[in-house]
Amino acid sequence: MIRIVPREEYCIGCRLCEIHCIVQHSRSKNIIKAFKSERRPVKRVEVEEEGHVSFALQCRHCDEAPCVTACLSGAMQKDPRTGAVVNDPERCVGCWTCILVCPFGAVRRDEAEHKAVGKCDLCPDLEVPACVANCPNEALLMVEE
Amino acid sequence: MAATYDYAIVGNSAAAINACEAIRGVDREGSIILFGEEKYRCYSRPLISYLVAGQIESRGMYYRPSGFYRSMGVEFRKGTRVEEVHAARKTLTTDGKEKVKWRRLLLATGFKPFIPPVPGLEEIDYLTFVSWDDARRMLARTARPARVLIVGAGLIGMKAAEAARARGAAVTVVEKMERVLPQALDAEASRMVWERCREAGIDIVTGQGVAELESRGNGKGRAVLEDGGEMDFDLLVMAVGVRPRVELAEGAGLDCSRGIEVDGHQRTSLEGVYAAGDAVNAMDVVLGRPSINALWPVAALQGKYAGLNMAGKEVPYPGCNSMNAVEFFGLPVLSAGIVNPPDDGYEVISRRSDAGDYRKVVLRGEVLVGMLVAGRIERAGILTSLIQERANVRRVKNFLLEEAFGHIHLPRSVRQERITETAAGIMKAEAARDKGV
Ligand SMILES: Cc1cc2nc3c(=O)[nH]c(=O)nc-3n(C[C@H](O)[C@H](O)[C@H](O)COP(=O)(O)OP(=O)(O)OC[C@H]3O[C@@H](n4cnc5c(N)ncnc54)[C@H](O)[C@@H]3O)c2cc1C
Ligand code: SF4
Ligand code: SF4
């Protein structure tokens, strides 16, 4: 499986990862449309910043994922094939139990749909996740395990 | 001769299903038999209010896809109650008089509603709100406009109120304590939820018990409150609390005065017998002693550890804490650990933002023991994890109330360990790469 590792010594806090994450999860996958005319998707990566330090953090796709064990509906599952922890929006009821237990604050609410879909899905349609591919400083690394 | 199974599981809910999956993660071969009294394959109990409110359909109730038992290699006895367990002979008997021998047994029998002795109650065809069948009954009985009286403003009572209100019923909740959700929430968050419920048209009467009930037939009746006030209803829902369901464990000879007692590996005092879920008095890491946290994630986690240990993997249950995620009429509230400190040996810091969000943390000395976040809840799980880890938060105390509180505020070594812990090999790969290897 692949994992994304942040490297804070290279991050300049430009938040391009957040922007490209939003675009990748938009309907059109077009940056202008995603931000101007479509319903803007929830970002699935968050840049944490304090003083001079910053880094981008998204779901760790934990091996013993607390969100999977806690999920009330069974919507949050670890894909045994890819190792990715993914939310099935069909089954998610928006109870926020996953948000309550995620040690990384990596799940966001999609308030319009009332689902907890705002979490990293490792961009299943891409070779390299959008945040990694678009970080100008290689502050996000993709590692194959 | 009775058939022998490597594993027998009683119960078919959070604890039981997670135990099954954990067993199969270790032991692909061993035979498993699972008994569930209800006539459903495994469904998610907390979703019954979503079903009644019309937010999900029946097929959204299932916790696992159809074909689950087959894919797990589990013999599932649907609609079958286990009536007796003989621990010394390692057998059990069902209501259909089937006799089964087992090598390891899991009691995941869950909870049952507590029904207080109110004069007149026996004459009334009331509901509880704990099962899919209860949800069906509520749907049928709110098909036409109804006045619904709910006794108890705990989680189940409030969920029943929300569901009945979504059906268009006129809803009144009567609660003995002074506020709603007195266990899960603190006074401030209670007030916020109450406000939302009132705006949504739910009537809440606190500090009052029902003194007496009078039947008018067909489930209808009149309630007399302790202060003499009277209230007519078409449907009565009793939701004053739940108790561990332990009749089977008791019959097997276990002391269950506070729920089924287990050791750190979910083992009961009977050889080969394990227990998990709402029926169990298990370790609460915040209280530092066993406690019953009748919650889905706790039941699921206990089930998982019971399963691992039953399959021979000796792993201690990490313990849990009292944690709640609720949302009423668009107001989400998350809480974990101690939100209502029992004495003044605790430090409480809280803040209400201009936008109306509310955040509070509770410390015992320098250790974070409780949190509550209402409104913008996104990153509250970080606090939950610090509570669960009994983290010393002295150095980050000033940031805890900030919505942006995160790993950036933790010492670099701690943060790096947390972030990369999930991928021990990764840092090595990274180091190798940085060195140009
Ligand atoms: C309306 C409602 C809303 C809730 N909302 C939430 C929520 O938002 N968050 C949360 O964390 N928790 C919530 N809960 C609590 C949650 O449902 C429970 O904590 C959870 O179901 C406990 O799981 P369990 O596996 O211990 O047992 P249970 O779910 O109680 O299941 C036990 C099963 O065992 C069966 N059984 C018992 N004895 C026998 C026997 N002798 N033979 C065969 N079968 C037997 C029972 O029929 C039952 O199906 C809610 C509960 C209700 C009722
Ligand atoms: S959402 Fe959180 S708990 Fe779940 S796998 Fe991702 S990081 Fe782990
Ligand atoms: S919000 Fe959705 S994914 Fe999260 S625990 Fe609830 S049902 Fe599961």
Side-chain angles (χ1 to χ4, degrees):
Chain A
M1 75 162 295
I2 64 165
R3 305 227 201 226
I4 302 172
V5 183
R7 301 198 297 174
E8 59 185 67
E9 53 290 13
Y10 297 98
C11 177
I12 54 165
C14 67
R15 295 183 187 257
L16 276 172
C17 50
E18 292 184 358
I19 291 170
H20 285 279
C21 176
I22 289 172
V23 173
Q24 177 60 27
H25 294 92
S26 69
R27 201 143 49 86
S28 64
K29 305 206 188 321
N30 173 298
I31 190 164
I32 309 284
K33 285 189 188 150
F35 278 82
K36 292 281 182 198
S37 54
E38 294 173 6
R39 194 172 74 77
R40 192 185 300 178
V42 180
K43 66 178 173 189
R44 299 161 185 236
V45 53
E46 169 112 7
V47 174
E48 292 197 18
E49 201 169 358
E50 182 76 31
H52 297 298
V53 186
S54 64
F55 56 84
L57 195 61
Q58 61 291 83
C59 166
R60 310 318 300 150
H61 300 279
C62 308
D63 290 333
E64 300 289 330
C67 63
V68 172
T69 310
C71 175
L72 295 195
S73 71
M76 199 71 93
Q77 289 290 333
K78 192 167 181 78
D79 185 326
R81 211 168 30 82
T82 65
V85 171
V86 281
N87 173 291
D88 176 357
E90 285 288 308
R91 300 174 67 197
C92 175
V93 296
C95 68
W96 320 134
T97 305
C98 49
I99 297 182
L100 174 65
V101 302
C102 172
F104 297 95
V107 187
R108 305 188 146 261
R109 289 174 294 160
D110 181 334
E111 292 184 54
E113 301 284 329
H114 210 270
K115 309 265 178 202
V117 296
K119 71 173 290 300
C120 168
D121 58 358
L122 293 174
C123 293
D125 304 336
L126 299 179
E127 282 277 306
V128 178
C131 55
V132 176
N134 289 287
C135 173
N137 288 321
E138 292 191 18
L140 285 168
L141 272 189
M142 183 180 93
V143 185
E144 270 321 308
E145 272 182 20
Chain B
M1 250 300 275
T4 304
Y5 291 83
D6 294 308
Y7 309 93
I9 298 176
V10 188
N12 182 34
S13 189
I17 297 302
N18 281 279
C20 258
E21 290 175 339
I23 290 171
R24 275 292 175 249
V26 181
D27 178 357
R28 299 279 339 150
E29 305 296 323
S31 51
I32 306 180
I33 187 164
L34 186 147
F35 301 88
E37 183 181 21
E38 295 180 83
K39 291 188 180 62
Y40 300 92
R41 61 188 173 83
C42 60
Y43 69 92
S44 177
R45 197 170 300 290
L47 301 199
I48 61 174
S49 64
Y50 296 80
L51 181 71
V52 172
Q55 290 160 354
I56 60 170
E57 293 171 40
S58 291
R59 65 185 153 82
M61 288 291 289
Y62 293 105
Y63 183 51
R64 291 292 181 259
S66 65
F68 169 80
Y69 302 96
R70 204 172 345 103
S71 71
M72 283 278 138
V74 170
E75 244 180 84
F76 174 36
R77 293 282 193 277
K78 182 157 76 175
T80 304
R81 188 174 68 246
V82 175
E83 279 197 332
E84 202 188 354
V85 164
H86 202 297
R89 281 190 229 127
K90 298 206 164 179
T91 60
L92 60 78
T93 317
T94 69
D95 52 358
K97 301 294 165 234
E98 183 186 8
K99 198 164 182 177
V100 163
K101 284 177 79 70
W102 43 266
R103 296 199 171 88
R104 303 257 152 92
L105 172 72
L106 177 67
L107 300 173
T109 49
F111 67 90
K112 57 173 195 256
F114 169 67
I115 305 296
V118 182
L121 183 62
E122 304 87 80
E123 277 79 68
I124 296 170
D125 182 17
Y126 63 90
L127 285 192
T128 55
F129 195 60
V130 300
S131 66
W132 197 336
D133 283 341
D134 287 341
R136 294 213 151 125
R137 284 180 210 117
M138 182 178 282
L139 277 166
R141 291 176 61 178
T142 52
R144 272 183 279 151
R147 294 163 299 175
V148 178
L149 175 63
I150 291 161
V151 184
L155 180 63
I156 294 175
M158 293 306 286
K159 283 280 169 188
E162 183 192 37
R165 187 70 194 123
R167 297 280 291 162
V171 180
T172 305
V173 182
V174 176
E175 164 64 46
K176 198 127 189 160
M177 308 273 274
E178 291 299 335
R179 54 194 183 82
V180 303
L181 297 164
Q183 264 128 44
L185 305 185
D186 71 347
E188 177 72 9
S190 263
R191 217 180 37 69
M192 292 168 77
V193 169
W194 185 334
E195 189 65 40
R196 291 289 177 119
C197 291
R198 184 162 50 212
E199 282 165 18
I202 293 175
D203 209 8
I204 299 171
V205 182
T206 57
Q208 281 290 322
V210 173
E212 209 178 313
L213 290 155
E214 191 184 305
S215 173
R216 300 263 161 94
N218 286 331
K220 297 176 203 247
R222 165 172 292 189
V224 183
L225 303 188
E226 284 165 351
D227 69 355
E230 297 191 349
M231 221 172 263
D232 289 327
F233 56 83
D234 304 315
L235 172 60
L236 177 68
V237 181
M238 295 302 291
V240 296
V242 298
R243 295 285 181 271
R245 189 166 164 194
V246 294
E247 74 269 9
L248 197 59
E250 261 170 1
L254 289 166
D255 166 22
C256 298
S257 41
R258 281 165 306 175
I260 305 174
E261 305 288 346
V262 291
D263 68 5
H265 291 75
Q266 302 298 131
R267 287 181 292 237
T268 70
S269 54
L270 294 170
E271 211 278 307
V273 182
Y274 296 70
D278 281 9
V280 173
N281 194 29
M283 184 46 88
D284 182 309
V285 295
V286 174
L287 301 178
R289 59 169 164 80
S291 173
I292 296 181
N293 288 313
L295 298 159
W296 187 272
V298 180
L301 194 70
Q302 285 181 22
K304 178 172 165 174
Y305 278 87
L308 291 172
N309 284 291
M310 287 169 78
K313 228 186 170 144
E314 290 256 329
V315 274
Y317 171 60
C320 222
N321 68 80
S322 159
M323 49 186 182
N324 287 274
V326 300
E327 176 170 308
F328 288 97
F329 304 104
L331 176 71
V333 188
L334 305 186
S335 67
I338 299 170
V339 291
N340 294 305
D343 54 61
D344 49 15
Y346 297 79
E347 183 182 0
V348 178
I349 340 176
S350 67
R351 187 172 71 200
R352 191 92 201 250
S353 79
D354 297 337
D357 300 318
Y358 175 55
R359 230 176 135 94
K360 156 171 157 175
V361 291
V362 180
L363 291 88
R364 189 163 50 208
E366 293 173 338
V367 178
L368 186 66
V369 295
M371 73 92 187
L372 188 148
V373 176
R376 298 172 67 88
I377 56 172
E378 255 65 23
R379 295 160 66 72
I382 302 173
L383 296 173
T384 310
S385 70
L386 294 176
I387 292 169
Q388 182 72 19
E389 288 161 21
R390 282 154 288 175
N392 184 314
V393 293
R394 173 173 45 91
R395 285 200 274 183
V396 294
K397 196 168 133 185
N398 294 338
F399 299 104
L400 293 173
L401 287 187
E402 279 176 30
E403 198 192 319
F405 172 70
H407 289 76
I408 195 93
H409 300 106
L410 304 179
R412 190 184 151 108
S413 59
V414 175
R415 140 167 104 238
Q416 299 234 314
E417 196 187 308
R418 288 188 108 205
I419 293 175
T420 51
E421 179 198 42
T422 43
I426 288 185
M427 287 325 272
K428 275 190 231 128
E430 190 199 354
R433 202 153 146 172
D434 281 348
K435 276 197 225 112
V437 181

